[in-house]
Amino acid sequence: MKKWLHSLKTNTPQEGFELAIKLSQMGVEYTQPDEKIRKKLRPKYSTNADSLIAASHVIATNFQTVAAANNYWK
Amino acid sequence: MKKWLHSLKTNTPQEGFELAIKLSQMGVEYTQPDEKIRKKLRPKYSTNADSLIAASHVIATNFQTVAAANNYWK
Amino acid sequence: MKKWLHSLKTNTPQEGFELAIKLSQMGVEYTQPDEKIRKKLRPKYSTNADSLIAASHVIATNFQTVAAANNYWK
Amino acid sequence: MKKWLHSLKTNTPQEGFELAIKLSQMGVEYTQPDEKIRKKLRPKYSTNADSLIAASHVIATNFQTVAAANNYWK
Amino acid sequence: MKKWLHSLKTNTPQEGFELAIKLSQMGVEYTQPDEKIRKKLRPKYSTNADSLIAASHVIATNFQTVAAANNYWK
Amino acid sequence: MKKWLHSLKTNTPQEGFELAIKLSQMGVEYTQPDEKIRKKLRPKYSTNADSLIAASHVIATNFQTVAAANNYWK
């Protein structure tokens, strides 16, 4: 896998949230590296409320890590 | 995405809880950016107890982050 | 929404646990503000073991926050 | 509800784990206070692997809190 | 229940991970003490990917506790 | 089980994320040691969006541990 994560530091909380999204996506990508398959799954989970809530849960978990790494941008 | 998250700091615990809700919604919104689709999903998950419990779990996870960022409003 | 959360501080661990329950319920309430709908859902989830376990998980997550806010009532 | 939680302090890690179980059960009990209903649900979830794994997850979450409260019994 | 957990301290991270597995199993065992029933459930959950992922989630949660107790074996 | 986890320390955040993936896989492997069975399950969960999201959640949980162990690579 090529270099995709250089630091957990971000300039703003919003960039930190977007990094948490990236981490969540990469968790999926490492588990299913085939982009074609991932794209095929998208229409289903992205129109299913429970899948979207589960995705938001993963993002929230990663955001805890990113926020701690940035000392909560205090 | 336009600027929507300026700080994790809030004046009160209740505002912090409401920020946690916002973070949880944004996790969904980044994953499914189409507002029409999200609105169509709402009647279903908002009348399903398990979906509501799952949504509350995401909020709880984000509230941990917001509360830590505010040193628990001590 | 009217004021419902004034502080994460409680006098005892048990009151802290009960605040965690309140936070968990409010996560549901913000997501589904209609009390009539929530009441209609109650007979179903409250007699379903998996829903009860999921509810207890949300409470556990919020209790982590409340306990930290109270320095674990040490 | 009568007094059931006096402290998060325990003498040993095992007692702490058992307190985490108690907290997990109380999360269920507050949500479904009727003991008869809870007893009726038991045969089903206690013979379902996914329910047991979910219950163990709640216990693990509460054990994090109890362990932190006891400074990990260091 | 006899004594099974003496300390959260382990010599190595791997032993800590294995203790996290033990804690996860004990969460199940306290909930379903009958070994015969647990053994009967094993063929089903151990060949179901979602059950295995859920089991790994519980282990990850307990590993957070064990790792913190060992100051991450720094 | 042979030695597979020597340290939670990694040189970079990305290596830390990859260690979190390893920990998540090992949680599965300890629960289902038979490699043939695990391989048979792969086509199903790796093409199921909810399973992939759940896998990413486990990785996120383990990444919290690894990131803390590395002081967030600050």
Side-chain angles (χ1 to χ4, degrees), chain F residues 25-60:
Chain F
Q25 291 168 334
M26 292 307 293
V28 170
E29 195 165 321
Y30 275 92
T31 314
Q32 177 47 273
D34 186 328
E35 199 187 342
K36 265 182 298 182
I37 293 174
R38 292 199 314 273
K39 282 207 171 150
K40 232 171 66 183
L41 298 174
R42 196 175 158 74
K44 204 181 161 198
Y45 79 78
S46 70
T47 55
N48 179 291
D50 290 326
S51 302
L52 289 169
I53 294 169
S56 183
H57 203 164
V58 182
I59 294 166

Side-chain angles (χ1 to χ4, degrees), chain D:
Chain D
M1 174 93 40
K2 72 171 192 309
K3 192 105 165 101
W4 60 274
L5 178 60
H6 296 83
S7 168
L8 296 179
K9 284 282 197 185
T10 68
N11 288 320
T12 65
Q14 182 166 331
E15 284 174 29
F17 195 82
E18 287 161 358
L19 177 55
I21 291 168
K22 176 73 179 172
L23 292 167
S24 306
Q25 290 168 334
M26 292 307 293
V28 170
E29 196 166 322
Y30 275 93
T31 313
Q32 176 47 272
D34 187 328
E35 199 188 341
K36 267 181 296 183
I37 293 174
R38 292 199 314 272
K39 282 208 170 149
K40 233 170 65 184
L41 298 174
R42 195 174 158 77
K44 203 181 161 199
Y45 79 77
S46 70
T47 55
N48 179 291
D50 290 326
S51 303
L52 290 170
I53 293 169
S56 183
H57 204 164
V58 182
I59 293 166
T61 305
N62 278 314
F63 187 53
Q64 291 189 331
T65 309
V66 175
N70 287 279
N71 198 27
Y72 303 96
W73 299 274
K74 275 174 193 173

